[in-house]
Amino acid sequence: MASTTGSDRLLRSAVRHTAGTTALLLACQVAGAACSLALPALAGRTLDLLLHQRPGAGTWLVWVAVLLAAEILLETAAVLLTQLTNARATAWIRLRALTGLLGTAPNRAASHSGGDVAARLCVNATDSGTAPAALATSVSCVLAPAGALVALVLIDPWTAAVFVAGLPLLLLLLRTFAHQSSDTVGRYQQAQGAIAARLAEALSGARTIAAADTVRREQDRILAPLKDMARHGTRMWLVHGRAVARSGVLLPLLTTAVVAVAGTRLAAGQVSVGELLAASRYAALAAGIGGIAAPLGTLVRSRSAGRRTAELADLPQMPHGSAVLPADGPGALELRGVRVVRDGVALITDVTLTIDGGSTVAVVGRSGAGKSTLAAVAGRLTDPDAGRVLLDGIDLAELTHTQLRQATAYAFARPAFDGAAATVGSGLAAGIGPGRSPATAAQVSRAARAASADTFIRLLPQGYDTPLDDAPLSGGESQRLGLARAFINTGRLMILDDATSSLDTATERQVELALSTSLRPCTKLIVAHRVSTAARADRVVWLEAGRVRRLAPHARLWQDPDYRAVFLAEASLPSAPPPSTGAGAGTGTGAGVPVSPASPTPPLPAPPPAPVAAQRSGPAGPPTRNGLGTGQ
């Protein structure tokens, strides 16, 4: 859980962001409190003038009416400003949380599920956003009772002494309420987030749940935290109810005691009737210190919710430098002693590779070998724990954010599209990257054709103008859209992380031809599970347990039965390597060997038995955000 300091820092930034409206709200509330304090004195003075039939009573009566009208107007303005302040603060907190979430490395955000993030950004951010207005209200809730207590002293010190005698009990009541509410609200919000997270998981796997007929079991799993949520919610309202009940007894007793003393002083001729009226009103205002319980409870909820929201806002951001890539760089990629550790487990260790610009390199290995981790490091979706990654001789960590994203393009097995992109065309155009002019319709169409997506897009109800939510896409069609988006942003380095796994053989071949002929020259790093993809690459990086076992052309590696076992599910494999006539049959057997681009794409070698050749050696790890698999 984020520290209280992080929560307070987030709330302070929200107060600063809404300083204008918060200050105006506080001014209205202070002015309203001043009207409330002036009214009893004016009303008492008016009553004395009327009872003694003295001149000027009408003027005083007019002033009482003016103050009443002003108080009503100020209270109305305060309500409107409270809602405006809450909205602005909530928007600011959500922006900070989203900035933290999207600016960190995907692996750091992976611990927060989609449902949990939604709960933090919606419910918790809304509760956090009430802090500035609640703080202003708390100030006004103290000013009016304090002023009323001073007025009681001026009218008659004995009436003030009676009220002060009961004040410690009231303060103890408020302190107990704040302490008990803080713990209860925090636990309630945790249970609320757990239900939201489980619900989001179930929705993403709705078809699997329906097919397996496990609806009842999923319902029980999702609602399991409901008992804790109900228990903490009940306790939360019991704490609030007890505080209200105790204050409901204590405050009228204090007010009655003050009025009784004032009445005694009236009988003794020490105060007038008007002063008695004013004293009773000031006693009620002073007792209004109990009204601080409401904004105090809001602040408690805001601070507790702020802890959860601050966990997103305080995620460590990926730093960027100020370096730029050389203008004529070919896209040469170099990994020097790269090591990545997650939760104490080394996913890739001492990986050293030199990949010449313009070449096509396939990354293969069994599930858990570290393929997707290598792909994430190569384009700096995550930073290595040791070692360096260089593009055209420049460390990726030293590049500006714009330079980095313009130079690299990604496509994933499960592409996700920007929810702000209303149509298929605008979704593809989003791939143009930062710092560039928007993609033109011609660029979008050309990229779609290269990804073999243009045909099915034109069959959609409105073609490229079809809303994304209304486009019924299969897994393969979704992958082709993801490829088209990556093709639009072709820079120096293109990384395909299992981005063709759902394509049929013919479509995959068309995409591979586009990669080699239709796009501007660039270096291609392809996480592959099919033998055909590896065979067409210039070189193959064979990963095993997070290390590079060999780096060589596919035809050379095929002689190794362990390499063939990566692709084949059966033990009986042809012993002879498939023939290869392409340029990928050069030398190079290990890490650190430069990879040179082949001129034409080599033809596919004679494959082993087709039903087995295209199969993966094992089940893929579960997908995570941004399309990165775990342990690939």
Side-chain angles (χ1 to χ4, degrees):
M1 179 176 288
S3 65
T4 303
T5 303
S7 170
D8 292 344
R9 186 168 56 250
L10 180 66
L11 296 183
R12 283 197 297 269
S13 70
V15 171
R16 287 193 297 269
H17 180 71
T18 58
T21 54
T22 302
L24 192 56
L25 170 62
L26 181 59
C28 287
Q29 290 176 331
V30 170
C35 290
S36 299
L37 289 172
L39 268 173
L42 289 178
R45 177 63 175 167
T46 302
L47 180 60
D48 285 340
L49 291 176
L50 290 173
L51 289 175
H52 294 87
Q53 296 182 350
R54 294 177 181 174
T59 303
W60 286 91
L61 191 59
V62 170
W63 279 110
V64 169
V66 169
L67 285 178
L68 279 173
E71 186 177 15
I72 293 173
L73 290 175
L74 288 168
E75 287 182 358
T76 303
V79 170
L80 294 176
L81 288 169
T82 297
Q83 298 305 316
L84 179 59
T85 303
N86 289 345
R88 293 190 63 189
T90 300
W92 172 253
I93 289 172
R94 282 181 180 151
L95 179 62
R96 288 287 304 274
L98 276 173
T99 301
L101 181 67
L102 299 179
T104 191
N107 64 286
R108 294 185 181 274
S111 59
H112 300 287
S113 67
D116 181 58
V117 169
R120 292 171 191 256
L121 292 178
C122 296
V123 180
N124 299 142
T126 301
D127 287 340
S128 302
T130 59
L135 186 62
T137 303
S138 300
V139 173
S140 65
C141 284
V142 172
L143 286 178
L149 187 58
V150 172
L152 281 177
V153 173
L154 294 176
I155 293 173
D156 186 77
W158 288 104
T159 57
V162 172
F163 185 85
V164 171
L167 200 57
L169 291 176
L170 184 58
L171 295 178
L172 178 62
L173 173 64
L174 293 175
R175 182 177 181 277
T176 303
F177 170 72
H179 176 73
Q180 293 180 346
S181 293
S182 179
D183 179 66
T184 305
V185 169
R187 295 180 183 276
Y188 178 86
Q189 290 172 343
Q190 287 180 353
Q192 190 179 47
I195 291 178
R198 297 183 183 192
L199 178 59
E201 292 171 0
L203 291 175
S204 64
R207 290 188 299 178
T208 302
I209 294 171
D213 195 20
T214 57
V215 175
R216 177 61 61 182
R217 188 170 63 187
E218 281 299 309
Q219 288 178 347
D220 294 340
R221 184 184 71 87
I222 293 169
L223 297 178
L226 190 59
K227 293 181 180 179
D228 288 338
M229 186 176 172
R231 184 174 71 255
H232 296 309
T234 301
R235 184 167 181 265
M236 181 173 64
W237 288 112
L238 284 175
V239 169
H240 182 76
R242 283 196 294 266
V244 171
R246 290 167 182 170
S247 62
V249 172
L250 179 60
L251 297 181
L253 285 177
L254 286 175
T255 304
T256 302
V258 169
V259 173
V261 171
T264 302
R265 302 289 289 170
L266 173 65
Q270 302 295 321
V271 297
S272 66
V273 175
E275 290 174 330
L276 173 63
L277 173 64
S280 64
R281 287 295 303 141
Y282 282 129
L285 285 175
I289 187 66
I292 198 176
L296 186 62
T298 300
L299 283 173
V300 168
R301 288 194 299 274
S302 298
R303 202 177 185 204
S304 179
R307 294 189 186 103
R308 288 175 52 80
T309 314
E311 288 184 358
L312 301 182
D314 292 343
L315 285 171
Q317 302 295 284
M318 292 187 72
H320 295 278
S322 58
V324 295
L325 293 167
D328 56 348
L333 181 66
E334 185 178 359
L335 284 74
R336 299 178 181 174
V338 170
R339 186 169 188 263
V340 177
V341 179
R342 296 289 180 261
D343 299 326
V345 178
L347 301 184
I348 56 176
T349 305
D350 298 330
V351 171
T352 298
L353 293 171
T354 301
I355 301 174
D356 286 350
S359 60
T360 299
V361 175
V363 182
V364 305
R366 294 181 183 275
S367 178
K371 300 186 295 297
S372 286
T373 303
L374 180 65
V377 168
R380 208 189 174 212
L381 286 183
T382 189
D383 283 326
D385 296 282
R388 301 173 67 198
V389 182
L390 296 90
L391 184 62
D392 287 332
I394 306 296
D395 194 320
L396 294 184
E398 297 175 0
L399 291 174
T400 66
H401 179 267
T402 300
Q403 276 276 300
L404 175 64
R405 290 301 154 221
Q406 284 182 352
T408 58
Y410 269 95
F412 301 102
R414 297 182 181 180
F417 292 92
D418 186 0
T423 65
V424 172
S426 58
L428 298 184
I432 197 65
R436 295 187 184 182
S437 301
T440 63
Q443 288 176 300
V444 171
S445 178
R446 183 164 56 251
R449 287 195 299 272
S452 296
D454 180 72
T455 302
F456 80 78
I457 292 176
R458 294 187 181 279
L459 293 176
L460 293 174
Q462 301 176 53
Y464 284 88
D465 295 327
T466 302
L468 276 168
D469 293 339
D470 297 338
L473 302 176
S474 66
E477 290 170 341
S478 180
Q479 281 193 349
R480 280 183 273 174
L481 289 184
L483 287 166
R485 181 175 56 184
F487 291 171
I488 289 179
N489 192 36
T490 302
R492 304 182 186 214
L493 176 63
M494 179 172 291
I495 301 172
L496 308 184
D497 187 359
D498 201 18
T500 60
S501 58
S502 297
L503 304 185
D504 57 76
T505 305
T507 303
E508 182 188 24
R509 177 56 176 158
Q510 292 173 359
V511 170
E512 289 174 349
L513 286 174
L515 283 171
S516 60
T517 60
S518 302
L519 304 177
R520 56 176 290 188
C522 66
T523 305
K524 305 171 200 57
L525 189 68
I526 304 174
V527 174
H529 296 92
R530 293 180 178 178
V531 65
S532 58
T533 305
R536 294 189 182 101
D538 300 322
R539 294 290 189 274
V540 175
V541 177
W542 177 13
L543 288 181
E544 189 171 273
R547 297 177 182 270
V548 177
R549 178 163 172 175
R550 288 187 68 185
L551 170 63
H554 171 77
R556 184 181 297 276
L557 294 176
W558 192 260
Q559 301 174 24
D560 191 326
D562 290 343
Y563 177 78
R564 297 197 299 270
V566 172
F567 299 98
L568 304 178
E570 296 181 5
S572 56
L573 301 173
S575 55
S580 176
T581 59
T587 60
T589 58
V593 179
V595 181
S596 302
S599 12
T601 303
L604 177 65
V612 193
Q615 299 299 318
R616 299 166 123 190
S617 59
T624 60
R625 288 180 191 81
N626 298 319
L628 296 180
T630 54
Q632 291 297 313

